[in-house]
Amino acid sequence: MDDPTDRRLGMGRPISRRDFLDGMAIAVGASLLPLGCRPADREPPFAPERSPDYYPPALTGMRGSHPGSFEVAHQLHDGTLWETIGSPRDTGERYDLVVVGAGISGLSAAHFYRKARGAGVKVLLLDNHDDFGGHAKRNEFTVGGRTLISHGGSEAIESPAQYSEVAKGLLDDLEIDLKRFYAAFDQHRYEKLGLGMGTFFDRETFGVDRLLKGGKEDVSRAFLAKVPLPDAARKDLVRLYHTPKDYLRGISSDEKKARLAKLSYRDYLLDVVKLNPAAMPFLQTLTHDLYGVGIEAVPALDCWGLEFPGFEGLHLDDGPSPGMGLTPQLEQNDEEPYIFHFPDGNASIARLLVRRLLPETLPGSTMEDVVTARLAYGRLDDEAAPTRIRLNSTVVKVRHLGDPGSAREVEITYVRGGRPSTVRASACVLAGWNTMIPYYCSELPAAQKEALSYEVKVPLVYANAALRDWRPLQKLGVFDFFAPGSYFVHAFLDFPVDLGDYKSSHTPAEPAVVKLVRTPCQPGLPSREQHRAGRAELLATPFETFERNLRDQLGRMLGPGGFDPANDITAITVNRWSHGYSYEYNSLWDPAWPEDQQPCVIGRKPFGRITIANADAGAFAYANSAIDQAWRAVNELPA
């Protein structure tokens, strides 16, 4: 490698398990061969899960929507699949239920179905990824002989007190004791070591690389005095954060809320608060990691709910807000901290569900031992088991055998290893993304397909970097970084959770995982158009670009603490979610539909022996939505 900058960053150095990833990508890449061009029945069945080395959580490089997981679906979407596909092979398999998608919603649907109809029912789950869990993805690293476990997607059980009785009941079924997290999650570990929040200002946006302690949730006058912005902008930021004022005097609280619902936060700051435009670079990305867009595309009313600056003097009433309520909102309870987090995030919920469905695949019996138990992927699709999970299988057609109103069976066609196959079932739950359902279930009514197509998922990236130690962060006194102008807008040391036999990193001399978040945005476009553009950007971005930006950003942020990206980073996993969060309706762009006219409600209507379950069906990007929608879909199935 000739580029001296790349050498300094360590781009030429091998990182953990890169070669293994490449090998697995080649194996899974068999599904990308032109369909119909493979020799018929002249080769062993495509079954990578049977390899003793098959263990997706330990793969690094590009994960999330990984190579091999989406290409067949894109062929279907683009209309090129059926030009080359051969005649599907009838496997002869018959099931009581086939579930399309083995994320939390699909796994929950299988669980509810078995609970209602008996453990002996035959259930098959089909998933296009090489691992189950959907966005609830587990990442593992080995550093100096020590295993580090982290999450690559769905992060936590958020505000469980607000969960429905159904969602709470599922947690109870899985024996998840929420009280256990109060001891497992060390809420003050970093604080006791003198570490706090920090903000990194990059030279491309702010003219200088500068790391300051404080920011985002700790914006003091002393902090603002050092922000690299013009004097007038700093003065206005002091006014915004520290001088409450009623900028909408003369109208009622409800009238204020109605106006804020139709104003973006950026427009509110510029046109109502009269903030100096030069202050905008500090504020623009405040909403990136939660909404996937900047403040120009998020309602000011939502930002009031998030306790962003500029609203304290408005004296808005608590309670229902005009313009909000297009989707349900979780309100963080001050008495319910953000601690309900397994070391691998909600991947442990998925693993506990798999343990219930296929107990022979995962040893143990508790929420503690599930964290370190080794899952036997080769047994997920055991023909002797009543429930089976078939990975690396992209569903391309779902149809009733006969008139949907009277048919007794549904036929499901999927592509695995480059070849199409069919199975039949008495019923089918579609638990993948709404976006794809109209393409593989063409018999749905036109209005329902249109409603399903309204969903445009929010693209995002969760990147994890395994470090030899975190002494540089201790020297800098920071564990959580807001980076308003950088490639990754948020970086932080992994959550301090000790559960069962798993021990997180306690001292700066130990290895640890730093997490980084990126949301590709196109300011100026409506939110759904930004998500489409961001998805295209992510799919066109190679792993090397993510790696280079990650190494460069960590080097510049942590360099003053002695960090060397070439030597201190041991492995990188980029969880690319080109179809990420479920889209939640936005009062700036979406009509205030009556509830029964919302696209998610129209889109999830049962159709014959087919029902729909996913977080998209609730237009709510949280695990409890995925669970609730699974319960509804199972209860809508024919008796």
Side-chain angles (χ1 to χ4, degrees), residues 198-273:
T199 302
F200 175 70
F201 298 92
D202 62 292
R203 58 179 176 266
E204 292 84 357
T205 307
F206 297 94
V208 62
D209 281 350
R210 181 176 297 173
L211 176 64
L212 297 178
K213 294 193 69 172
K216 200 163 186 180
E217 298 176 7
D218 179 21
V219 187
S220 66
R221 292 174 183 267
F223 168 86
L224 290 172
K226 300 175 183 178
V227 170
L229 288 173
D231 288 344
R234 289 201 301 269
K235 181 179 179 181
D236 263 10
L237 285 171
V238 171
R239 173 168 62 89
L240 176 70
Y241 278 93
H242 298 288
T243 309
K245 180 180 177 181
D246 188 349
Y247 296 102
L248 296 173
R249 289 185 64 186
I251 59 176
S252 69
S253 175
D254 282 351
E255 289 171 324
K256 290 175 182 179
K257 289 182 179 181
R259 184 173 176 187
L260 293 175
K262 292 299 180 181
L263 269 180
S264 74
Y265 186 45
R266 180 183 176 88
D267 287 346
Y268 172 72
L269 293 175
L270 291 176
D271 300 337
V272 179
V273 179

Side-chain angles (χ1 to χ4, degrees), residues 159-489:
S159 301
Q162 298 181 48
Y163 273 27
S164 69
E165 292 306 311
V166 167
K168 289 177 182 177
L170 179 74
L171 299 185
D172 289 342
D173 285 349
L174 300 179
E175 299 182 26
I176 296 175
D177 180 4
L178 296 174
K179 298 186 186 70
R180 182 73 183 84
F181 290 104
Y182 284 89
F185 193 113
D186 187 348
Q187 299 181 55
H188 305 292
R189 178 177 304 168
Y190 299 133
E191 178 184 308
K192 287 181 288 188
L193 292 170
L195 279 63
M197 306 280 292
T199 302
F200 175 70
F201 298 92
D202 62 292
R203 58 179 176 266
E204 292 84 357
T205 307
F206 297 94
V208 62
D209 281 350
R210 181 176 297 173
L211 176 64
L212 297 178
K213 294 193 69 172
K216 200 163 186 180
E217 298 176 7
D218 179 21
V219 187
S220 66
R221 292 174 183 267
F223 168 86
L224 290 172
K226 300 175 183 178
V227 170
L229 288 173
D231 288 344
R234 289 201 301 269
K235 181 179 179 181
D236 263 10
L237 285 171
V238 171
R239 173 168 62 89
L240 176 70
Y241 278 93
H242 298 288
T243 309
K245 180 180 177 181
D246 188 349
Y247 296 102
L248 296 173
R249 289 185 64 186
I251 59 176
S252 69
S253 175
D254 282 351
E255 289 171 324
K256 290 175 182 179
K257 289 182 179 181
R259 184 173 176 187
L260 293 175
K262 292 299 180 181
L263 269 180
S264 74
Y265 186 45
R266 180 183 176 88
D267 287 346
Y268 172 72
L269 293 175
L270 291 176
D271 300 337
V272 179
V273 179
K274 303 298 182 183
L275 201 68
N276 190 305
M280 285 299 108
F282 175 61
L283 302 164
Q284 171 64 26
T285 62
L286 284 174
T287 52
H288 270 213
D289 56 354
L290 187 58
Y291 286 83
V293 288
I295 62 172
E296 88 293 341
V298 176
L301 188 61
D302 284 28
C303 295
W304 163 72
L306 294 169
E307 299 184 349
F308 283 10
F311 303 102
E312 187 177 353
L314 271 60
H315 304 295
L316 299 177
D317 297 332
D318 292 333
S321 303
M324 293 185 75
L326 290 176
T327 56
Q329 301 291 323
L330 284 180
E331 297 178 4
Q332 185 65 46
N333 185 334
D334 290 339
E335 298 180 359
E336 189 176 41
Y338 191 77
I339 60 169
F340 307 106
H341 171 89
F342 286 92
D344 59 2
N346 289 336
S348 275
I349 297 179
R351 285 160 61 85
L352 287 166
L353 281 163
V354 169
R355 178 187 274 170
R356 284 301 178 96
L357 297 170
L358 289 147
E360 66 278 7
T361 64
L362 192 61
S365 60
T366 69
M367 65 176 280
E368 286 87 1
D369 61 33
V370 77
V371 176
T372 53
R374 175 86 173 191
L375 192 134
Y377 281 86
R379 304 190 68 179
L380 289 175
D381 194 10
D382 187 343
E383 63 183 18
T387 298
R388 303 168 69 173
I389 300 174
R390 190 164 298 162
L391 302 173
N392 302 303
S393 301
T394 302
V395 170
V396 294
K397 181 179 283 189
V398 176
R399 68 184 184 98
H400 288 90
L401 294 177
D403 181 85
S406 58
R408 306 297 294 175
E409 283 189 309
V410 179
E411 182 184 74
I412 299 93
T413 304
Y414 64 94
V415 174
R416 175 173 160 88
R419 298 183 62 179
S421 300
T422 64
V423 298
R424 294 183 183 184
S426 298
C428 184
V429 171
L430 308 182
W433 304 326
N434 274 7
T435 308
M436 285 304 302
I437 292 174
Y439 293 94
Y440 63 71
C441 192
S442 59
E443 66 181 11
L444 289 173
Q448 187 169 3
K449 289 192 285 187
E450 182 181 2
L452 289 164
S453 297
Y454 194 84
E455 165 69 31
V456 179
K457 294 181 82 71
V458 181
L460 70 156
V461 173
Y462 284 173
N464 288 329
L467 308 185
R468 296 186 192 281
D469 61 67
W470 43 286
R471 291 185 180 97
L473 286 86
Q474 182 191 35
K475 291 178 182 177
L476 295 170
V478 178
F479 76 95
D480 190 307
F481 302 81
F482 174 45
S486 296
Y487 191 79
F488 295 97
V489 298

